[in-house]
Amino acid sequence: MTWIALADHIGQQFSLKGLRPDGTGRTEDFHGSDALLAKGSLMIETRLSPDGKPQDLLTYGGFDGWLRSLTLQAIPGGGLTFVIAQNGEVTHATILHKGSVRTDVVRIVYSWDAPRRWAQFAVEWPEGLNVHLASVPNPKPIPIADLQTLFLEPGKRHLSEDVVFFALSDQVEPLGPTPTLSPNVPIETECGFRRVGDVKRGDLVKTENSGLVPVLHTLRRTVPARGSFAPVRIRAPYFGLQQDVIVAPDQRLVIRGSEVEYLFGREAVLVPARHLVNGTAALREHAADTISYSQLLLLRRKVSLSGGCAESRTNWPPACLPVLVAIPCLSRGRRPIPF
């Protein structure tokens, strides 16, 4: 099982059976008072104030339960602090990032595994590789009843308008770059086009300039379908695609053409998929609670063929980069990254 709760300013869901991509994992009542979540991850995606003002991003006060309070705050000077009080003890962690990262959107994750006496507070930036970590001492399990109250009773929490969403998993979620291709995206292999979700380690995929290359590893992950995970549909026949493809918003797409050469003096540039959304050629894809993404890792950066176009990506470690969709035309009014 994985994600069991999700909330934003529009609505909230909580299901111990797990949230599902088709939205069938509905909110359920939970009447237990003693059940504990021994390990898990609380994820919050939020915007930060550009002038470094203090912000109470998420606060919760438990009046009768074990979890007495939970506070996530942005502090002046560029930092985030997390404080949790439970069972008469207070633990906290602070990360100072000094505003050194270009984007104002961050993903904050508190993960804990009480039986192993391990927990960490992490801040990562969806558009890059920056991840800051801090250890949290002596973590305790959290009562499920308190977590349900946190998610389902807005009157007992404060949620900043800058928070995009927050979600709960019953697992310790991985950090770092997330796969960004829908499992149904077609990838050209030695045996023809196959769904990227069906490609395995060792399979050969066709690249634009290097012929057939082996897949070093495949990545698959299910994430909340909100914020920087909310899917984007790139529609055929626009951009030369033979069929629609669904990608994550920060998937960088290779853009080529005479217009690119004229405006940027380069043969190709990289543009995140979210910058191509215009309601026609590319649009936000409706998703219920969660979405699954896949990715292939190849040796060094390669350009492979997907959905009728070439593809590549740069925001992964340079020695081991995955493939992604390439689009041979330009979205106006944005500044892409040189490729």
Side-chain angles (χ1 to χ4, degrees):
M1 196 180 297
T2 176
W3 300 100
I4 60 175
L6 175 64
D8 55 22
H9 293 286
I10 299 175
Q12 50 269 324
Q13 301 289 345
F14 188 99
S15 175
L16 294 178
K17 297 178 181 178
L19 306 180
R20 301 178 184 177
D22 58 6
T24 58
R26 296 295 85 194
T27 297
E28 61 183 27
D29 293 328
F30 175 76
H31 300 291
S33 58
D34 299 325
L36 301 174
L37 194 63
K39 67 176 180 179
S41 297
L42 178 65
M43 176 185 290
I44 303 99
E45 189 167 296
T46 184
R47 299 177 183 87
L48 297 180
S49 172
D51 52 10
K53 291 182 178 179
Q55 296 170 272
D56 287 327
L57 299 173
L58 175 63
T59 61
Y60 166 77
F63 301 100
D64 300 314
W66 184 352
L67 180 61
R68 301 298 299 173
S69 67
L70 181 151
T71 303
L72 175 65
Q73 184 181 53
I75 57 180
L80 291 145
T81 183
F82 178 79
V83 181
I84 184 169
Q86 52 187 144
N87 197 30
E89 295 186 18
V90 177
T91 57
H92 66 89
T94 299
I95 289 176
L96 300 177
H97 58 79
K98 299 180 180 179
S100 59
V101 182
R102 180 180 59 186
T103 180
D104 66 341
V105 176
V106 298
R107 189 180 303 137
I108 303 157
V109 183
Y110 169 62
S111 299
W112 73 97
D113 188 334
R116 292 176 51 210
R117 302 182 65 81
W118 172 93
Q120 72 178 12
F121 177 54
V123 180
E124 55 181 336
W125 283 260
E127 292 186 22
L129 290 172
N130 302 68
V131 179
H132 294 239
L133 301 174
S135 296
V136 179
N138 194 28
K140 292 179 172 58
I142 302 178
I144 294 176
D146 283 323
L147 292 169
Q148 185 186 44
T149 300
L150 170 65
F151 276 86
L152 297 185
E153 298 188 32
K156 294 186 178 180
R157 70 174 187 243
H158 165 74
L159 186 66
S160 169
E161 290 296 327
D162 291 320
V163 173
V164 180
F165 74 89
F166 67 108
L168 176 68
S169 169
D170 62 3
Q171 301 295 320
V172 174
E173 292 293 325
L175 302 174
T178 301
T180 49
L181 297 176
S182 164
N184 293 322
V185 169
I187 295 291
E188 189 167 3
T189 70
E190 61 177 336
C191 301
F193 280 96
R194 296 174 57 191
R195 296 170 65 254
V196 66
D198 295 333
V199 177
K200 298 180 177 59
R201 179 179 178 180
D203 290 347
L204 298 178
V205 297
K206 186 174 182 180
T207 62
E208 189 176 42
N209 298 316
S210 303
L212 294 173
V213 299
V215 174
L216 300 181
H217 189 57
T218 61
L219 300 175
R220 294 176 178 86
R221 187 179 175 191
T222 298
V223 292
R226 299 290 188 274
S228 62
F229 298 125
V232 173
R233 177 179 291 270
I234 312 294
R235 299 179 63 202
Y238 299 102
F239 311 127
L241 286 171
Q242 297 175 8
Q243 69 178 72
D244 291 4
V245 294
I246 296 175
V247 300
D250 289 321
Q251 174 93 2
R252 299 190 190 280
L253 311 180
V254 179
I255 308 293
R256 294 188 175 93
S258 58
E259 196 173 3
V260 170
E261 295 185 29
Y262 175 76
L263 291 175
F264 301 101
R266 295 177 179 271
E267 181 180 347
V269 292
L270 293 169
V271 180
R274 56 190 167 84
H275 290 330
L276 298 175
V277 174
N278 60 7
T280 304
L283 47 86
R284 297 287 183 183
E285 176 74 357
H286 173 73
D289 299 326
T290 63
I291 186 167
S292 296
Y293 288 118
S294 299
Q295 202 85 48
L296 308 181
L297 297 184
L298 309 179
L299 181 63
R300 300 186 180 89
R301 184 173 65 207
K302 301 293 182 181
V303 178
S304 70
L305 301 179
S306 171
C309 294
E311 50 174 319
S312 178
R313 176 172 182 168
T314 61
N315 62 339
W316 289 69
C320 197
L321 293 173
V323 296
L324 72 104
V325 185
I327 312 278
C329 91
L330 180 66
S331 172
R332 296 181 182 272
R334 305 289 182 179
R335 290 194 61 81
I337 299 173
F339 175 62

